[in-house]
Amino acid sequence: MESEASMFETCEIMAALLGSSPLLSQSWSLCSATAPETFTAELIGDVAYVAFSAVQVLPLARGGRELVALEGEAEELFRPLNRHREELRPPPMADSGLLRIFLNIFTHQNLSQKMTRIMQKSKSIVITGHSLGGAAATLCTLWLLSFFHSKTTHQPLLCITFGSPLIGNESLSRAILRERWCGNFCHVVSNHDIMPRLFSTPLSPQLHVLLRYWHLSMVSPQFGKLATQLSQREKDELFQAVLAHFDMISNSGEGSERSQFWPLGNFFFCSENGAICLDNAMSVMKMLYLMLKTSAPNFSIEDHLNYGDYVKEVGIQHMERKSFTSECLLPDSSYEAGLALAIQSSGIPFQEEVARMAENSLRTARRMGLKPTLSVAKLAISLSKITPYRAEIEWYKASCDEADNQLGYYDCFKRVDASVRQARVNMNRHKLATFWNRVIDRWENNELPPDFNIRAKWVNASHSYKLLVEPLDIAEYYRRGKHLVHGHYLKHGRERRYEIFDKWWRGKEIREQGNTQSQRMKYAGLTQDSCFWARLEEARDLLESIKCEGDVRKLALIWKSLENFERYARGLIERKEVSKDAVAKNSSYTLWAQELRALKLNM
């Protein structure tokens, strides 16, 4: 039953996989042995391990970490992520210092050539890194996934990081989710490690100095000795600053507005009692706070180096069978059992207010409703149910195109008509708009598969809807005189759903660039530019204004705009990319073209 479904089944499977396989132990062994090399590679069986060292120099600005868009040198490396730039505001961004570390490695360490040789020798690849090396490993994995994006086949790829800071904003996380890359990332974080939390925290100038000092102690060969030189007061300041920041996020209903940096992929939280795995970003942020808060008595900056102990503990815990404490009653359902087991594995004690907060956080991580794959299947049924509304509009278009008045589809609807037929078409237009707005809302809320916007069925369906219905929206806009109040349709009246569908369709055209289309032998069933009529309305307005304009410079600009539209419309007609309603005898376009020719002759 849906009420009994538990997301912790998936998380326990992930934890069991990592606990029962050598992935964690071998990854950590390579991370520990990498310094002072920037990165190193080793082939173990058919698996290639590429480990990035924690010894990385991170430039720290006075104002803290700075997010930058993936532009310039990074634009080509992460091209698939930039496809979502227009849809996501702000665009996908990464920390400038961490991005600079990776770009320096990529440019000066011949990373591309070395990875090519690695791929030739292996069947699968594990990219791993500790601390700042984990951030470099994450960016390296994103680069490889972007590189594989244009390939028909590629090798399995997994990124495992230990104590890595968050690297980018929520838009970057959403772009990765839409590319279906989240399953390629597993970030291991211990409950006592402050490092992943610290670099996500806005700090005062004094604490920035401490953070820089701590970082310098990390890159030193004598890291253990230098790290202990931080006084207890300085450690407490860092600890309290991190707790205050994550407490604010945890108690905020809209954490994404409070936090500059956002989790991506899976987070594998480990403690002395075991491990849990989460992929819900808001729950990850809350657990980063709660697990650190309950570890205050055991807090130690040096714990950032102790992942070897946690990796070993995960393997031991996997071999032992966990049992609930005597204070905890055996839950009645599988979901409650999974919830209790997850809290126990996190190391958060029972019978505490923090444990109740952790329980609420984990409950929010549970995916409510159907899974995306089932959700899109039900959406397909809903699409079939609105087919009659679309069919009625298509029938209305056919009858308008064949009418004796030779006005065509657009101009018939634009005229004031109190008939039952037009009222039904108008009602169906609103019903279709409601359906597609709901589809967009569900897609943007990640209730549908991340690749939903590139699935041919939905791209074609949305494009056909746009070509059929948007001319009616344009006709309604100008019939009601909204352009006189708000301005022309293209800038002030176009619905957001049409802009999104344009991007989906352009993405399909880019993916199918190699496919050649045959020349049309007859006019299209629907005009291939759904905004053709809006452009015509602007041209009609320009034609009226030219009759009373006395300024020579303004006249030149108006004529240029008119000629541009005339050339554009003629091209559509010659390629037969318009419906026959556009060239009907009494259509708005035909009358406009005749008036323009007459004006040219008179002048």
Side-chain angles (χ1 to χ4, degrees), residues 148-185:
F148 290 150
H149 189 269
S150 59
K151 308 294 181 182
T152 54
T153 59
H154 59 81
Q155 292 151 302
L157 179 64
L158 177 64
C159 176
I160 300 176
T161 70
F162 299 90
S164 172
L166 306 180
I167 69 163
N169 63 351
E170 184 182 9
S171 294
L172 178 65
S173 178
R174 283 183 174 270
I176 291 169
L177 182 64
R178 290 182 182 179
E179 292 295 333
R180 305 184 76 178
W181 292 349
C182 286
N184 295 90
F185 297 90

Side-chain angles (χ1 to χ4, degrees), residues 60 90 217 298 330 336 387 443 482:
L60 290 178
S217 70
N298 303 314
L330 186 65
E336 296 297 331
T387 300
W443 174 64
K482 291 183 179 180

Side-chain angles (χ1 to χ4, degrees), residues 50-63:
V50 180
F52 287 82
S53 170
V55 183
Q56 309 284 349
V57 179
L58 176 66
L60 290 178
R62 290 185 179 180

